[in-house]
Amino acid sequence: MADYIYTMEIRLTPDQSKGVNLVQDVARAAGITLYLTGGAIRDIISGFTIRDLDFTVQGNPLKLQKDFERAGAQLAGHDDETRTLFLVLPGNVRAEIGMAHTEHYEKVGKAPTIAPASIQEDLRRRDFTVNAMALSLNEGSRGLLLDPFNGVADIEAKLLRILHNYSFVEDPSRLIRATRFAARFHWPMEERTQQRYDAAKENKYIDHIARSAVGHEIAQLAHEDDPLNVIRALEKEDFLKVLHPHWSAAKVDTNGLALLMKTRQQMVDLGYTVDPSAAVMHFLTARLSDKDISDLRRQIPRKDLIESWRDIEEHAKDLAKRLTGKEAATPSRTWNLLSSARPEMVLFLAVTSRHQSVALKIKNYLTKWRQVQQRLPLPEMTELLITPQLPEYPKIARDVFMLLLDGRLRSRTETLKFLKPFAPPPPPPPPPPRRGRGAKAAAGAAPAAVAGKKPEAVKGKGKGAAAPVSAVPPAAAKAPATKADAKTVAKPDVKAAAKQEPKTKAAKVAHKPAKPASKPSAKRPAKKAQPKKSKARKR
Ligand code: CTP
């Protein structure tokens, strides 16, 4: 039997996994039955990107709003009719928590009557077999997959299949959804589904689409990996104008969109979690009038998307302004500024900035400056015992990176001079060998410890080998050095070191403590104990 919990765990991003746990904890505390449903299950099983988390509870999730907020979720909207909460979970994870319900359609074009139901009944009101599965997240049945329509088999066959003949009639938005999924997954519709789709199109059932469904489908476009492909497919089927009468593929800024997706991939490859949805909407509607754009926004149920789309240009302008000012006067300052900016803004500005110096700074931030990390002398740092085991390692590595960025450490020698004072004292020597009778036995029992021998870590291949500074950006770089950080870092004994080092210009630079970072405290690294020569012995 397939282990769906295992599959889920390896397929979700770490933030999504935490999101599942968060929702699970809240539901458990409230004693409410919880399932992961819909597209999330489809994507987990099929291997496609898991874009959001759809949960279904047997009960009313609206009552849990405060509990979710207390647990760290943000409310992005709600639907009173279907009793759905739209949440943003920590790490920018989109989630929907809906009530298990039935939908009873009395007349074409009329909204269905909604009634609370069991999960089994809920699965029966869904659009396609591949979306009609639920994974139990409840104690006692955790990991059990409910798949009443054999959605797993349709995923394997790569087919879109409706659950019953009236699917498109009851909810015409499924015509748009079928087109969207077919374009995204390149899965055809199963034969009977295709026939029903064609008939529904011919009979113009789409004219009866619910307003709320239009808003939902507009928002879904923002999260497509290849939105232009979907827009074109919708236009071909005459459904794009259903979302807005003035919308067409010609209104899309195709070059901007292509560059956005390329830059986004570049950022993902660098380890950023970046949500491009607002920027995608910006480019998809680039040539629509302001009025058309506000019409589109008004229909979207998630206020997080509306706000981020509305404010994207303004926020990008602010960042651009800061990038041309004192705050970004040096590469290290620019690095810090861009590291603390939201990745979404960096992405948008990277694609839209017409200001040459801004564009160049972002380009350097995403490419050239990353290579500077490779100039960290890792083997020598390991020799000096400056390894990730040191609590102050991230700060030291970061300071060196900043100095290298600004060209204040020009050579390996200068870098090493800077690093040396940070080297911790060597480990204490092993106890002296026993003398007398017990010595032989002890020597046989334990391998002789050689005084002054380097520990494993020093050899550079063991656990203690210095980590590459790739550990710094983007993760560590996002947290700018604080005063508290600085306190933990021992200041190198600059004066003492200066006495010993040749007084070249380069040496002076190397011995200056890292300026752009916060000031290290006056603590000195412990010096190696040097026994004083006794006068008595001299005599
Ligand atoms: N659903 C449905 N009919 C609709 C809309 C939604 O049956 N008109 C159900 C489907 O089971 C769907 C789930 O609600 O999987 C969640 O809807 P939504 O988030 O819109 O779609 P996803 O399937 O998650 O697709 P996407 O990957 O585009 O988010």
Side-chain angles (χ1 to χ4, degrees), residues 492-512:
D493 191 342
V494 178
K495 279 183 192 164
K499 273 183 205 161
Q500 290 158 20
E501 300 296 341
K503 282 180 181 159
T504 60
K505 214 178 174 186
K508 274 183 196 165
V509 173
H511 278 79
K512 261 192 188 174

Side-chain angles (χ1 to χ4, degrees), residues 37-40 42-43 49-54 94 96 103 105 122-123 125-128 130-133 163 171-174 177 180-181 184-185 213 216-217 220-221 223-224:
T37 46
R42 177 200 64 220
D43 296 336
T49 313
I50 302 153
R51 300 141 39 103
D52 53 8
L53 301 174
D54 305 313
R94 280 180 306 126
E96 281 184 35
E103 291 173 357
Y105 294 85
D122 176 280
L123 293 179
R125 58 94 193 159
R126 291 180 182 252
D127 52 3
F128 305 103
V130 294
N131 287 343
M133 294 181 275
L163 306 191
D171 179 355
S173 77
R174 289 173 181 163
R177 295 172 66 79
R180 186 157 63 78
F181 292 135
R184 186 201 300 169
F185 300 127
H216 185 79
E217 291 307 313
Q220 292 299 81
L221 290 174
H223 305 289
E224 291 292 340

Side-chain angles (χ1 to χ4, degrees), residues 219-254:
Q220 292 299 81
L221 290 174
H223 305 289
E224 291 292 340
D225 281 340
D226 188 354
L228 190 57
N229 177 38
V230 177
I231 286 273
R232 285 186 175 137
L234 291 177
E235 186 171 47
K236 191 166 159 254
E237 295 295 307
D238 254 359
F239 293 147
L240 190 57
K241 63 175 196 242
V242 177
L243 300 183
H244 195 285
H246 300 156
W247 212 354
S248 69
K251 304 277 175 173
V252 176
D253 176 350
T254 45

